Amino acid sequence: MSRIGRMPISVPAGVEISVQNNLVTVKGPKGTLSQQVGKEITVKIENNEIVLTRANDQKEVRAQHGLYRALLHNMVEGVTKGFSKSLIINGVGYKAQMQGKKLVLNIGYSHPIEFDPPEGISIKCPSLNEVVVEGFDKTVVGQVAANIRAKRVVEPYHAYGIRYKDEVVVMKEGKTAGK
């Protein structure tokens, strides 16, 4: 069996889970998420735990077993704790600020970049050089953070641009004058 797929998912108090026709719905204090599970995977709720089993040992089914377990675990964690991604803005004159619900980025272009977050996502700016994206759906939080990062990707010579807080930028050596 899959090492990840066979681990049960513990369901904390305050989280409701329903399974109908391989559609798993997780409802918690932060929101509601749903995921369609493949036909070969069976989802059962036993003793406040979600247990996934697979029908056979084909390669694709084994891969789906771990995948759906990880997706369901992220859903349970998202509706209870939530997820966040931090971005750092580095550059001369680069800054981020909130105007209402819009994120306004001054990142070296001739005009400010405005970014509207989708429903269920909140963006905060604890400082002028930091942006925090928060939400209960891990995939949406990651995609919104990637969209913000794509506005000005880090260049490798001075490290100007937008990067994840835990991202390591490999710097290149600049030109050297011949002597």
Side-chain angles (χ1 to χ4, degrees), residues 90-91 153-163 167-175:
N90 184 22
V153 180
V154 176
E155 56 92 22
Y157 294 101
H158 301 288
Y160 291 162
I162 303 173
R163 65 177 173 88
E167 181 179 0
V168 176
V169 178
V170 177
M171 301 291 289
K172 289 185 178 179
E173 185 177 338
K175 292 181 181 178

Side-chain angles (χ1 to χ4, degrees), residues 17-18 21 34 42 52 55 57 59 69 73-74 93 96 105 114 118 144 154-155 157 164 173:
I17 296 174
S18 64
N21 298 332
S34 58
T42 307
L52 281 76
D57 281 340
K59 188 174 184 176
R69 191 265 178 205
H73 180 264
N74 287 340
L105 300 168
E114 294 183 354
V144 169
V154 176
E155 56 92 22
Y157 294 101
Y164 296 114
E173 185 177 338

Side-chain angles (χ1 to χ4, degrees), residues 1-178:
M1 284 183 82
S2 167
R3 292 181 190 173
I4 293 175
R6 69 178 166 206
M7 293 190 298
I9 304 166
S10 62
V11 180
V15 176
E16 299 174 18
I17 296 174
S18 64
V19 181
Q20 295 176 354
N21 298 332
N22 286 349
L23 179 70
V24 179
T25 305
V26 179
K27 185 183 253 185
K30 293 200 179 260
T32 303
L33 295 171
S34 58
Q35 174 68 42
Q36 186 72 37
V37 178
K39 296 175 185 174
E40 298 86 9
I41 307 297
T42 307
V43 180
K44 294 179 185 173
I45 301 169
E46 304 169 345
N47 301 330
N48 283 342
E49 290 184 336
I50 304 172
V51 178
L52 281 76
T53 56
R54 61 179 185 244
N56 55 42
D57 281 340
Q58 292 178 352
K59 188 174 184 176
E60 291 116 12
V61 177
R62 287 192 319 240
Q64 288 179 357
H65 191 202
L67 168 74
Y68 288 124
R69 191 265 178 205
L71 291 175
L72 293 180
H73 180 264
N74 287 340
M75 289 167 53
V76 170
E77 190 174 332
V79 297
T80 55
K81 300 178 199 170
F83 295 100
S84 69
K85 285 261 190 187
S86 295
L87 300 162
I88 302 293
I89 299 172
N90 184 22
V92 177
Y94 289 13
K95 66 180 180 176
Q97 57 191 5
M98 295 300 296
Q99 288 182 352
K101 290 195 174 196
K102 280 186 181 178
L103 174 67
V104 179
L105 300 168
N106 292 320
I107 48 176
Y109 296 116
S110 61
H111 59 286
I113 306 292
E114 294 183 354
F115 187 83
D116 274 329
E119 191 68 32
I121 298 293
S122 66
I123 298 177
K124 297 177 184 171
C125 292
S127 67
L128 291 176
N129 295 337
E130 189 174 359
V131 177
V132 179
V133 180
E134 295 177 337
F136 61 90
D137 192 351
K138 187 173 187 177
T139 57
V140 177
V141 169
Q143 187 61 52
V144 169
N147 291 346
I148 293 171
R149 182 181 178 273
K151 301 295 182 190
R152 179 69 103 181
V153 180
V154 176
E155 56 92 22
Y157 294 101
H158 301 288
Y160 291 162
I162 303 173
R163 65 177 173 88
Y164 296 114
K165 192 171 190 172
D166 58 353
E167 181 179 0
V168 176
V169 178
V170 177
M171 301 291 289
K172 289 185 178 179
E173 185 177 338
K175 292 181 181 178
T176 57

